[in-house]
Amino acid sequence: MTHRRESDLRIGTSGWNYPSGKGTWNGVFYPPTRRRPKGFDELSFYAEHFNTVEVNNTFYGQPRPEVTRAWAARTPSAFEFSVKLYQKFTHPRMFKERLAARLPEHGGAEPVLLDALTRPNAADIDAFRRGIDPLASSGRLGALLAQFPASFKDDEPSRDYLAALLRAFDGYPVAVELRHKSWSDAIADTLGLLDTFRAAWVQIDEPKFRFSIRQNYLPNVKGFYYMRLHGRNADKWWRHDKSEDRYDYLYSADELQEFSDTAAATTQLVKKTYLYTNNHFSAKSVANAAMIKQQLGEPLDGEYPPEFVEQFPQLEGAVKVGPGSLLPVAPSRT
């Protein structure tokens, strides 16, 4: 039997902080805000259960070194952070819309100004590098995630831009998520581009549509492997009231087995495997990450609240249930 080092396999969720909305983790995985013990810290609690997390908030704003340094201080020394690139690097249209909403009116010059401000530059690259340096310099950085939208299609300008972005972050392990089928239609060219920069092609599970990328879940580089599970809520993927609704999906044990088997196989082929569950609605990603660990025979560390096990009975008997309840006791009416 081939044994792997503990650090070879990293399983976690995309994000750890979901404080609001119908899909909040409060009262499911974390205590409700008003009933938290003094000093309770979500990240520290999360890190008792998983050895990695994919950071989402860096997509909405550049990382700051004082913040990433604090992340490292609040987690065990072997814990790793994979960090999503700032949206300016991957979602220019979204960045432009957010920027336009904040800028005052500039008359006819506004489109020119917006275009100039939307284009990433060397200062943006340097700011991101500085922001993640506390993680990189301490060995706590997993990978950088360049997540592109489904509208990012394979053509010459897109390939040139992707090559330039990978060149700018040379020296970091970069995982590239591509969603449009044009990239898998030209699989040889796509692999050639990614392999040139030793970038991992992110393997994703999501609802499949006519234009969706097709993948075989095989690793393309020997350095690391990166997989993301987004859920399969096809009905709400494009049409939903809240963005969190598209991630309202719980994988069954049978559905997860394919990914557990893939993760087990990749540990024999690459130096490190990262698997993140992004179906975060109501901590379903936590449940599915724990189920994957169970299928792989990984230790299920940490204590889980009784409410969590009540909501996800699939894990009853597999995880350790902590004492007490996350919810307030109803007042007596006698």
Side-chain angles (χ1 to χ4, degrees):
M1 179 178 178
T2 302
H3 295 277
R4 62 170 180 262
R5 300 186 305 275
E6 181 182 357
S7 60
D8 287 342
L9 180 60
R10 299 277 170 167
I11 300 170
T13 66
S14 299
W16 73 83
N17 175 245
Y18 295 97
S20 60
K22 294 184 297 182
T24 180
W25 288 15
N26 296 346
V28 182
F29 184 56
Y30 301 134
T33 304
R34 289 179 293 181
R35 294 198 65 247
R36 294 187 174 184
K38 184 178 180 180
F40 179 86
D41 179 74
E42 290 183 0
L43 179 57
S44 298
F45 180 81
Y46 171 94
E48 294 174 6
H49 300 78
F50 301 103
N51 59 7
T52 187
V53 72
E54 186 181 80
V55 181
N56 280 328
N57 59 18
T58 50
F59 178 77
Y60 300 99
Q62 289 275 31
R64 302 196 307 274
E66 64 272 20
V67 174
T68 57
R69 189 176 297 112
W71 291 345
R74 288 150 54 196
T75 52
S77 59
F79 188 90
E80 290 188 7
F81 298 83
S82 288
V83 181
K84 188 180 293 186
L85 290 186
Y86 183 34
Q87 67 179 209
K88 189 175 184 179
F89 299 125
T90 58
H91 288 63
R93 184 185 305 171
M94 182 184 295
F95 179 81
K96 187 175 183 177
E97 290 172 353
R98 291 182 65 209
L99 185 62
R102 299 199 302 266
L103 286 177
E105 292 295 330
H106 285 276
E110 183 178 358
V112 177
L113 174 64
L114 282 175
D115 288 343
L117 293 175
T118 299
R119 285 192 294 272
N121 54 43
D124 296 320
I125 299 289
D126 289 343
F128 196 92
R129 285 173 173 265
R130 286 195 303 272
I132 62 173
D133 182 68
L135 301 177
S137 61
S138 62
R140 307 294 298 281
L141 181 66
L144 301 184
L145 172 63
Q147 176 194 303
F148 288 94
S151 58
F152 186 69
K153 302 176 183 178
D154 177 30
D155 55 28
E156 186 173 355
S158 294
R159 289 194 299 271
D160 289 345
Y161 178 78
L162 179 54
L165 184 66
L166 293 173
R167 194 174 295 113
F169 285 105
D170 185 39
Y172 297 92
V174 181
V176 179
E177 180 170 326
L178 303 166
R179 295 190 176 185
H180 194 272
K181 70 183 295 288
S182 57
W183 296 98
S184 52
D185 287 346
I187 186 170
D189 293 337
T190 302
L191 286 172
L193 173 58
L194 296 177
D195 291 355
T196 296
F197 296 96
R198 300 179 299 281
W201 191 346
V202 178
Q203 303 297 307
I204 59 177
D205 184 71
E206 63 177 357
K208 295 300 181 185
F209 304 96
R210 178 176 54 83
F211 55 79
S212 299
I213 198 165
R214 301 300 192 262
Q215 297 178 290
N216 56 20
Y217 299 145
L218 296 176
N220 67 296
V221 291
K222 293 184 178 180
F224 69 108
Y225 181 83
Y226 204 102
M227 175 175 276
R228 306 182 78 213
L229 308 184
H230 296 293
R232 297 175 176 176
N233 194 341
D235 290 342
K236 295 184 179 179
W237 193 252
W238 297 116
R239 297 180 179 180
H240 43 256
D241 294 330
K242 301 289 185 180
S243 60
E244 66 174 1
D245 294 340
R246 62 161 50 179
Y247 303 109
D248 184 5
Y249 186 87
L250 181 70
Y251 288 92
S252 68
D254 288 343
E255 288 173 327
L256 290 176
Q257 191 63 58
E258 175 185 11
F259 308 119
S260 297
D261 292 344
T262 297
T266 59
T267 61
Q268 309 303 318
L269 300 172
V270 302
K271 294 179 180 178
K272 189 168 288 188
T273 293
Y274 297 94
L275 194 160
Y276 296 106
T277 50
N278 191 32
N279 52 325
H280 55 74
F281 191 94
S282 194
K284 292 179 180 180
S285 55
V286 175
N288 280 155
M291 292 167 68
I292 290 171
K293 292 181 70 174
Q294 179 187 22
Q295 290 181 347
L296 288 167
E298 295 288 305
L300 288 163
D301 299 317
E303 294 184 346
Y304 289 79
E307 287 79 8
F308 181 87
V309 179
E310 290 174 10
Q311 185 160 329
F312 304 109
Q314 303 92 327
L315 288 164
E316 186 174 1
V319 299
K320 184 177 180 181
V321 180
S325 171
L326 297 178
L327 303 178
V329 178
S332 173
R333 296 184 181 275
T334 58

